[in-house]
Amino acid sequence: QVQLVESGGGLVQAGGSLRLSCVASGSIFSLNVMGWYRQAPGKQRELVAGVSSADDTYYADSVKGRFTISRDNAKNTVYLQMNGLKPEDTAVYYCNKVPSYSVWGQGTQVTVSS
């Protein structure tokens, strides 16, 4: 059974920071590349960062240098440290494997005010 539970979102001013967490069921986490995706109103969901089981990372150009993805394999948890937040980062953030399953968690809302 696929389970993904995201947390850590909130309202923050531009330039602020947030740390997102996602606990995934073991069947997803194990050897998969895990990623953070986001979906802004009226836009398609996009992959913003990914991390392999060997800690190789990927970042979309829009977040490179500001966001850091990491994972704790013992806890089946993936994190997204977001610094230097911008209003355009406002979105619902989801975690999933890369490429994603069709099942998604509830996501966590991130709102950045200018």
Side-chain angles (χ1 to χ4, degrees):
Q1 185 178 359
V2 174
Q3 285 191 317
L4 298 155
V5 181
E6 301 92 348
S7 62
L11 172 63
V12 65
Q13 288 188 331
S17 298
L18 285 173
R19 189 191 193 210
L20 307 184
S21 299
C22 170
V23 180
S25 55
S27 60
I28 301 173
F29 205 85
S30 58
L31 298 177
N32 283 315
V33 175
M34 293 298 297
W36 280 97
Y37 301 74
R38 68 185 180 188
Q39 187 167 22
K43 295 188 177 181
Q44 287 192 327
R45 192 172 292 166
E46 62 173 346
L47 175 67
V48 296
V51 58
S52 72
S53 57
D55 289 330
D56 296 315
T57 56
Y58 158 83
Y59 296 98
D61 288 343
S62 58
V63 306
K64 203 171 291 184
R66 301 187 296 122
F67 290 10
T68 303
I69 189 170
S70 60
R71 63 192 287 164
D72 184 332
N73 294 326
K75 296 181 179 179
N76 287 357
T77 301
V78 60
Y79 304 98
L80 187 67
Q81 177 67 43
M82 306 187 295
N83 299 328
L85 283 161
K86 303 176 180 180
E88 51 263 45
D89 294 318
T90 294
V92 180
Y93 284 72
Y94 303 86
C95 72
N96 209 316
K97 75 176 189 69
V98 180
S100 64
Y101 281 113
S102 58
V103 175
W104 294 84
Q106 83 287 351
T108 187
Q109 175 71 49
V110 172
T111 303
V112 185
S113 63
S114 57

